[in-house]
Amino acid sequence: MKPEEFYQTLAEQGFPLTPLQKEQFQQYFHLLVEWNEKMNLTAITDEEGVYLKHFYDSIAPILQGQIQDTTAHILDIGAGAGFPSIPMKILLPDLNITIIDSLNKRITFLHHLADTLGLDKVHFYHGRAEDFGHDPHFRGQFDIVSARAVARLQILLELAIPYLKLGGHLLALKASSAEDEVAQAKTALSLLFSKVISTSHYVLSNGDPRSLTIVEKRKETPNKYPRKAGIPNKRPL
């Protein structure tokens, strides 16, 4: 997807970009490629690939109407190079974005990215999701938790649900069908008092399949979750 196609597609879907937003996406692309030469941020570095598989794919929840509140507080777990939350922030500048990532080098990149793009209401924290999940400044504080290709759903639920307010939503973006993961996550959904609201399937313009699963938090998360760092991955619920 060339930048011009990206702009046109968004305009056709009701999101015409301003000159500033176009410039921010272009700066994002150049910084991603530049920093990727000294640290591993992405395997996709060609312009058409970045605009389609990173930028366009990241804003799918907005295009599908899953983010109605343009001032929502969003936590992005394991965002890596900022996906999906930074493209969503560029598209909806009033969003409040928090990113937690376990690698400090990526946090350094994100700080530089936000400064260069002139983004406000963005916060970056180095650490494990399991640890921040017990911090009262984070636990139960977010309207939305987003995660793109972070972990299987039964693992992701334990990492994400504790951060949500009651009625808040987890947006799980996947590169493949989600039905098997949803089926495997039944125990986790029950223990964490959450429910799958919907799963949508779509295809990128190059034919790559994608899915977006929405999970709602129904009751307060038991205090023992999330378990200590590493345990959710070793012993999924």
Side-chain angles (χ1 to χ4, degrees):
M1 175 178 275
K2 295 180 180 179
E4 293 74 18
E5 295 176 80
F6 179 71
Y7 308 150
Q8 182 178 347
T9 301
L10 291 187
E12 290 171 353
Q13 297 185 61
F15 293 93
L17 297 181
T18 66
L20 173 60
Q21 289 171 312
K22 293 177 182 178
E23 176 65 19
Q24 287 173 323
F25 277 115
Q26 196 63 30
Q27 287 180 311
Y28 196 168
F29 165 68
H30 287 301
L31 284 173
L32 182 67
V33 173
E34 176 188 335
W35 280 63
N36 199 62
E37 293 179 358
K38 50 189 174 183
M39 57 186 290
N40 183 26
L41 291 170
T42 177
I44 302 167
T45 56
D46 64 290
E47 187 175 58
E48 292 188 22
V50 169
Y51 270 81
L52 177 64
K53 297 181 180 180
H54 283 327
F55 296 165
Y56 187 75
D57 191 33
S58 290
I59 60 179
I62 296 174
L63 301 180
Q64 294 185 25
Q66 298 297 340
I67 300 179
Q68 298 291 333
D69 180 1
T70 58
T71 63
H73 288 252
I74 298 178
L75 171 66
D76 195 358
I77 293 177
F83 307 121
S85 58
I86 298 300
M88 292 197 294
K89 170 68 177 178
I90 296 173
L91 192 60
L92 298 179
D94 291 328
L95 290 174
N96 287 270
I97 301 294
T98 298
I99 289 177
I100 293 173
D101 197 276
S102 60
L103 190 61
N104 200 38
K105 287 182 179 180
R106 288 194 289 256
I107 295 296
T108 300
F109 166 73
L110 291 169
H111 274 294
H112 180 72
L113 176 69
D115 288 343
T116 303
L117 271 54
L119 303 178
D120 62 357
K121 293 185 286 188
V122 289
H123 312 279
F124 308 114
Y125 296 92
H126 171 230
R128 298 291 294 265
E130 297 97 324
D131 298 329
F132 281 104
H134 290 282
D135 186 325
H137 293 99
F138 293 83
R139 190 178 181 91
Q141 300 300 309
F142 295 91
D143 305 302
I144 292 169
V145 174
S146 63
R148 181 174 178 257
V150 171
R152 287 181 294 131
L153 187 61
Q154 66 186 121
I155 299 170
L156 180 59
L157 288 167
E158 184 173 357
L159 302 179
I161 296 299
Y163 289 98
L164 289 170
K165 299 175 182 177
L166 285 178
H169 287 172
L170 164 64
L171 311 182
L173 292 85
K174 299 284 184 177
S176 58
S177 177
E179 274 72 16
D180 289 344
E181 290 194 22
V182 171
Q184 294 168 3
K186 285 184 177 180
T187 298
L189 288 164
S190 176
L191 291 173
L192 298 166
F193 303 120
S194 51
K195 182 179 180 180
V196 173
I197 301 300
S198 66
T199 295
S200 59
H201 301 278
Y202 53 102
V203 178
L204 299 180
S205 59
N206 67 341
D208 286 354
R210 294 290 188 267
S211 68
L212 172 61
T213 299
I214 313 297
V215 181
E216 184 173 274
K217 180 173 180 173
R218 293 295 180 87
K219 294 181 182 179
E220 292 293 352
T221 307
N223 290 332
K224 64 180 177 179
Y225 301 116
R227 291 168 292 170
K228 290 183 179 180
I231 294 179
N233 192 55
K234 292 178 182 176
R235 300 202 303 271
L237 296 175

